[in-house]
Amino acid sequence: TEIHWGTTTSLGNTAYDDRGSGVVDDVHHITIQGLSQLTDYYFEIVAGGTINDNNGNKFYITTGPTLGLPSSDTIYGRIFLSDGTTPAPGTLVYVVLTNIDGAGSSGNSAEISTITDSNGYWFVNLGNVRVIDLTAYFLYSASGDRVSVYAQGGGAGVASISVDTSADFPVNNLILGTPPVFYNLFLPLLRR
């Protein structure tokens, strides 16, 4: 799986799974770095040799502005397969903050994502989480707000948990189960 991307619909750049270009899996996480602020980027997704180019229209996303250095608030957790003991490497993890206590940013944050390592661990810096329109960091309280974690393990299943921001270091273990469903939490970011 790879993403072809660029600042025009001609694309011109290729990005691969964070684990390497040769990874064969039913779940992928691709990080593209060095993008310019407030710029439209077009892309298509290639999986198994099939190109998904949004019916010839290319997908696109607009980057947010450059912000100052974020605060540091790393949270983490671990994800297991349905047996509850085997780590689930290569699981997509999406994290969303929600204002519950009325202080700080309102509503929900934009999603932030990562992928579990070979031992099923995931890590994100909540200081990097932005508001929905990406124009500022999402301000939240050390307790009284909510962290929601969604895990997508492809054929291994899904899992989710919501915890208070005071109980996110570490987040309780997740066990993949439930029939797999297509989580596309980033789709709202692709719309204007």
Side-chain angles (χ1 to χ4, degrees):
T1 297
E2 59 193 46
I3 291 180
H4 301 157
W5 63 277
T7 55
T8 69
T9 55
S10 299
L11 308 177
N13 302 290
T14 302
Y16 301 98
D17 190 290
D18 292 348
R19 298 167 289 173
S21 61
V23 171
V24 177
D25 200 344
D26 60 349
V27 174
H28 295 275
H29 190 267
I30 298 173
T31 304
I32 300 174
Q33 298 181 3
L35 302 178
S36 298
Q37 67 173 330
L38 303 171
T39 302
D40 287 341
Y41 285 93
Y42 300 87
F43 65 96
E44 63 189 17
I45 303 165
V46 182
T50 301
I51 297 174
N52 182 348
D53 64 357
N54 194 26
N55 297 315
N57 297 314
K58 306 295 185 217
F59 296 101
Y60 73 94
I61 187 167
T62 303
T63 54
T66 300
L67 302 176
L69 291 175
S71 61
S72 180
D73 183 12
T74 300
I75 67 168
Y76 70 97
R78 195 168 188 200
I79 301 176
F80 294 92
L81 296 177
S82 61
D83 65 10
T85 59
T86 305
T91 299
L92 288 177
V93 178
Y94 299 93
V95 177
V96 175
L97 284 165
T98 303
N99 181 317
I100 301 296
D101 67 4
S105 301
S106 62
N108 293 327
S109 71
E111 297 90 7
I112 191 168
S113 65
T114 191
I115 193 164
T116 57
D117 67 15
S118 61
N119 293 308
Y121 284 101
W122 60 270
F123 305 84
V124 297
N125 178 8
L126 291 182
N128 282 329
V129 175
R130 292 185 181 212
V131 296
I132 294 288
D133 69 4
L134 308 179
T135 59
Y137 291 121
F138 190 88
L139 302 176
Y140 61 95
S141 301
S143 75
D145 286 333
R146 182 173 55 232
V147 176
S148 296
V149 179
Y150 305 94
Q152 171 54 275
V158 298
S160 65
I161 190 171
S162 291
V163 297
D164 187 273
T165 45
S166 64
D168 61 9
F169 192 80
V171 171
N172 290 340
N173 292 337
L174 289 172
I175 298 174
L176 296 176
T178 314
V181 296
F182 180 67
Y183 272 118
N184 198 347
L185 299 175
F186 72 91
L187 193 57
L189 297 176
L190 303 179
R191 299 184 187 129
R192 287 189 180 188

